[in-house]
Amino acid sequence: MAFENERKFLLKNDNWKKGVSNKDIIHQGYIDLSKVKISVKPNWLILDFGFTTLRKPITPEDTAQLMEHLDKPEKVLRIRDKSGKYKITLKIDIGIVDSKVEVEPSLSKEEYEMLVTLCDSFISKIRSYVKAGDYVYEVDIFTGKHAHLEPIAEVEYNTPGEVIEVPEWAGTEVTGIDKYYNANLAKL
């Protein structure tokens, strides 16, 4: 996925629970970008941590988007364990409120465990998938030390600015508000 187009909402009520189709347990950590040199070669994302280098395959579309936007200053490097499936995600803010460049190569469990040591913040949550019209909303209920945070519903779609169906249980929109980004919530 070269672009992530997403909107975020706080929840107005618990009516979303009626439509839950599946759940995942997610643990994610955020790597301090000063600990890694990120580069791109055709079809490869290269992450040099000094003591080891990861070369992760990416699509030609991902390569093109990263080559165009890698120099932008607003980036996040995240590792994630999603119900036993491991990924590393590079997100780059491109200046469009609801859109970011995003690449998500897979990691082995061993790579994930090694990278956990480089994370400076973590967050855990239970993600529920809720169908609403033509869209699947992801409702995150934070756990552990973040259990006090308000749940957040996210919905992804194809085109920046796309008109989406907002379910009645979705409350205040928080798209583009920094304090609601998981990377910032993890630091609380």
Side-chain angles (χ1 to χ4, degrees):
M1 167 194 293
F3 283 99
E4 174 190 60
N5 302 301
E6 173 183 86
R7 289 175 63 188
K8 294 178 178 247
F9 300 86
L10 299 178
L11 301 179
K12 189 183 336 180
N13 57 48
D14 286 341
N15 291 347
W16 62 272
K17 291 180 179 180
K18 299 174 196 167
V20 173
S21 61
N22 197 13
K23 292 183 180 185
D24 279 308
I25 297 171
I26 297 175
H27 306 286
Q28 55 196 45
Y30 295 87
I31 297 173
D32 180 342
L33 290 173
S34 70
K35 296 178 181 176
V36 61
K37 181 179 178 214
I38 303 169
S39 58
V40 180
K41 302 275 186 202
N43 301 322
W44 293 98
L45 173 63
I46 302 163
L47 304 161
D48 182 352
F49 296 98
F51 64 93
T52 191
T53 300
L54 295 179
R55 294 175 54 86
K56 304 310 277 180
I58 57 175
T59 67
E61 181 186 10
D62 289 344
T63 300
Q65 291 302 324
L66 286 178
M67 287 184 165
E68 181 178 345
H69 298 289
L70 192 59
D71 63 341
K72 296 208 173 8
E74 298 296 320
K75 292 188 265 304
V76 171
L77 188 61
R78 174 190 76 203
I79 60 170
R80 175 182 275 175
D81 170 357
K82 180 177 171 185
S83 297
K85 294 182 180 140
Y86 307 96
K87 292 195 177 227
I88 188 162
T89 304
L90 176 62
K91 291 187 180 195
I92 304 172
D93 187 334
I94 58 172
I96 301 172
V97 169
D98 61 348
S99 187
K100 293 183 176 14
V101 169
E102 177 181 279
V103 294
E104 277 192 307
S106 294
L107 292 172
S108 68
K109 182 177 183 181
E110 294 74 24
E111 289 171 327
Y112 174 84
E113 289 172 349
M114 174 193 61
L115 294 176
V116 161
T117 64
L118 299 177
C119 294
D120 59 1
S121 59
F122 297 89
I123 197 162
S124 295
K125 55 194 174 182
I126 297 171
R127 173 166 286 170
S128 298
Y129 301 90
V130 183
K131 182 111 168 99
D134 293 332
Y135 300 91
V136 175
Y137 280 75
E138 300 170 346
V139 178
D140 291 339
I141 306 297
F142 299 99
T143 61
K145 77 176 198 173
H146 297 97
H148 66 283
L149 297 175
E150 289 185 78
I152 295 176
E154 303 177 351
V155 61
E156 292 187 9
Y157 45 92
N158 294 324
T159 309
E162 182 175 325
V163 176
I164 61 167
E165 298 169 49
V166 179
E168 60 80 25
W169 46 261
T172 304
E173 183 166 3
V174 294
T175 304
I177 300 174
D178 287 349
K179 76 177 191 175
Y180 291 103
Y181 291 142
N182 283 309
N184 294 329
L185 294 173
K187 295 174 185 173
L188 298 175

